[in-house]
Amino acid sequence: FFFFFLRQLFSCPQNFMRVSLVAVSAITVIVVPDFSIIMGLVGSSCCMLLALVLPGLIHLKVFAGKLSWTAVAIDYIIVSLGVMGSATGMLDSLQRIVSGGDGAGIHG
C-alpha cells in the first residue's frame, strides 16, 4: 500500500504539491504554539503589502509623468509607511515565534 501511495504521489505534480502543502502546514502547527502569531505574521506581510505598498507603487507606475510632485510625495510616504509597518509587524511576529509565543515581542 505504501509503495502504491508513493507511486501515485510522484506520478502527478499536483498530488505532490498538495501533500507538500499539507506537510508544511502540519509542521507549522507543531512548531508554532500560538495561531495568532502566524496570523500576525501573515497580516503584517501580505495585508500591508496589498493595502498600502502595491496601490502606491501601481499608482506611480500607471500615472508616471502625469502626477504632480505632491501626489508623488504622498505615494512615496504611503509606500514608506507600509514598508515600515510591515517590517515592524514581521519583526514582532518573528520575535514571538522565536521566544515561544509568550508575548515577549517588541511591545512587551
Side-chain angles (χ1 to χ4, degrees), residues 21-56:
L21 286 173
V22 170
V24 167
S25 299
I27 291 169
T28 303
V29 167
I30 291 169
V31 170
V32 179
D34 193 4
F35 183 70
S36 65
I37 298 172
I38 292 294
M39 289 308 298
L41 185 62
V42 170
S44 63
S45 58
C46 297
C47 295
M48 292 295 274
L49 179 71
L50 289 173
L52 296 174
V53 176
L54 285 179

Side-chain angles (χ1 to χ4, degrees), residues 1-11:
F1 176 74
F2 182 70
F3 294 114
F4 175 75
F5 172 74
L6 286 178
R7 187 175 31 192
Q8 289 292 88
L9 175 64
F10 291 108
S11 67

Side-chain angles (χ1 to χ4, degrees), residues 2-101:
F2 182 70
F3 294 114
F4 175 75
F5 172 74
L6 286 178
R7 187 175 31 192
Q8 289 292 88
L9 175 64
F10 291 108
S11 67
C12 182
Q14 290 88 0
N15 288 343
F16 181 72
M17 187 64 152
R18 288 179 190 139
V19 170
S20 299
L21 286 173
V22 170
V24 167
S25 299
I27 291 169
T28 303
V29 167
I30 291 169
V31 170
V32 179
D34 193 4
F35 183 70
S36 65
I37 298 172
I38 292 294
M39 289 308 298
L41 185 62
V42 170
S44 63
S45 58
C46 297
C47 295
M48 292 295 274
L49 179 71
L50 289 173
L52 296 174
V53 176
L54 285 179
L57 293 176
I58 291 170
H59 187 248
L60 287 169
K61 181 70 174 175
V62 169
F63 296 105
K66 300 175 188 170
L67 296 172
S68 66
W69 69 269
T70 55
V72 171
I74 290 171
D75 280 341
Y76 278 119
I77 289 169
I78 291 172
V79 168
S80 299
L81 288 174
V83 169
M84 287 188 298
S86 179
T88 302
M90 287 183 357
L91 178 64
D92 183 52
S93 294
L94 290 173
Q95 284 180 346
R96 289 175 191 261
I97 289 172
V98 169
S99 69

